[in-house]
Amino acid sequence: MKKSFTTVELVMMAMFTAILCVSAYLSIPTPLPNAAHITLLNFIIFLIALVFSLRDSTIMVALWMILGAIGVPVFIGGGAGLGYLFGVFGGYTFSFLIASIVMGLIKGSKYNRLRYTLAAILGAVIIDIIGMFWWKLNGNLTWKVAFLSGFVAFIPLDLVKAVIAAQLVPLFTKLMPDKED
């Protein structure tokens, strides 16, 4: 595995980490309890995981989580801190890192529309299942309420975001600068 970063890689990683931070602010509140939101966050997670290498995408998502954990307001609705991470919606936040790693592992090294689409769909399912379980346990919900409000409510739009992100990978790859220093 390559141990150092080129200047271009560092700049692109910083830029996409910043985009990830901003994407949490682009949200639509839902009528669900505890102020659930529909955001562009997972769409950007899908793009990062599918466009960048496993190493780079993992670093970007982990950096975003670290920024939020130390108090920078980068989570949904300007949330931040360990209280947010371990609150009722923290499972969705933790699941972003897990999903990005899984997508990075299964996407392969060369773009294949079907494989990338399936990787993104799996990423969406991972995010919503982990988030739902966390919400159920921390929100003291019944399994039915957790499933309906924590999975069923989000998965249709998340699947659309996943499929669109997978189709945009070739465009983003073309727009990326050469990886020379």
Side-chain angles (χ1 to χ4, degrees):
M1 179 188 268
K2 196 171 91 166
K3 293 182 180 176
S4 63
F5 297 98
T6 66
T7 304
V8 169
E9 287 172 327
L10 288 173
V11 168
M12 294 306 294
M13 289 170 63
M15 185 174 73
F16 272 84
T17 302
I19 291 169
L20 184 57
C21 293
V22 170
S23 71
Y25 283 89
L26 305 174
S27 66
I28 302 168
T30 66
L32 296 174
N34 298 321
H37 292 256
I38 297 171
T39 71
L40 285 180
L41 199 52
N42 50 359
F43 177 77
I44 301 301
I45 294 286
F46 300 143
L47 275 179
I48 287 172
L50 297 175
V51 170
F52 291 91
S53 70
L54 174 61
R55 175 195 73 165
D56 294 356
S57 63
T58 302
I59 289 170
M60 286 183 266
V61 177
L63 177 59
W64 168 75
M65 288 183 67
I66 290 167
L67 288 169
I70 64 172
V72 179
V74 296
F75 297 142
I76 295 172
L82 294 176
Y84 182 93
L85 280 176
F86 292 101
V88 292
F89 293 111
Y92 292 98
T93 305
F94 282 113
S95 71
F96 292 141
L97 182 61
I98 296 165
S100 70
I101 291 170
V102 170
M103 286 185 284
L105 288 171
I106 66 173
K107 71 178 182 180
S109 59
K110 186 172 174 147
Y111 181 74
N112 174 287
R113 187 175 307 275
L114 179 59
R115 190 173 57 243
Y116 273 51
T117 302
L118 292 174
I121 288 170
L122 180 59
V125 171
I126 288 170
I127 289 167
D128 290 344
I129 284 178
I130 292 173
M132 175 201 67
F133 275 102
W134 188 288
W135 192 3
K136 189 264 181 265
L137 296 174
N138 287 308
N140 208 17
L141 305 173
T142 66
W143 282 109
K144 180 179 179 181
V145 170
F147 178 70
L148 291 174
S149 62
F151 184 81
V152 173
F154 294 112
I155 198 67
L157 186 56
D158 289 349
L159 290 174
V160 170
K161 293 178 207 175
V163 170
I164 292 170
Q167 310 319 302
L168 293 175
V169 169
L171 174 65
F172 275 86
T173 303
K174 286 180 188 175
L175 294 174
M176 299 293 269
D178 293 334
K179 293 190 176 193
E180 296 173 16
D181 219 357

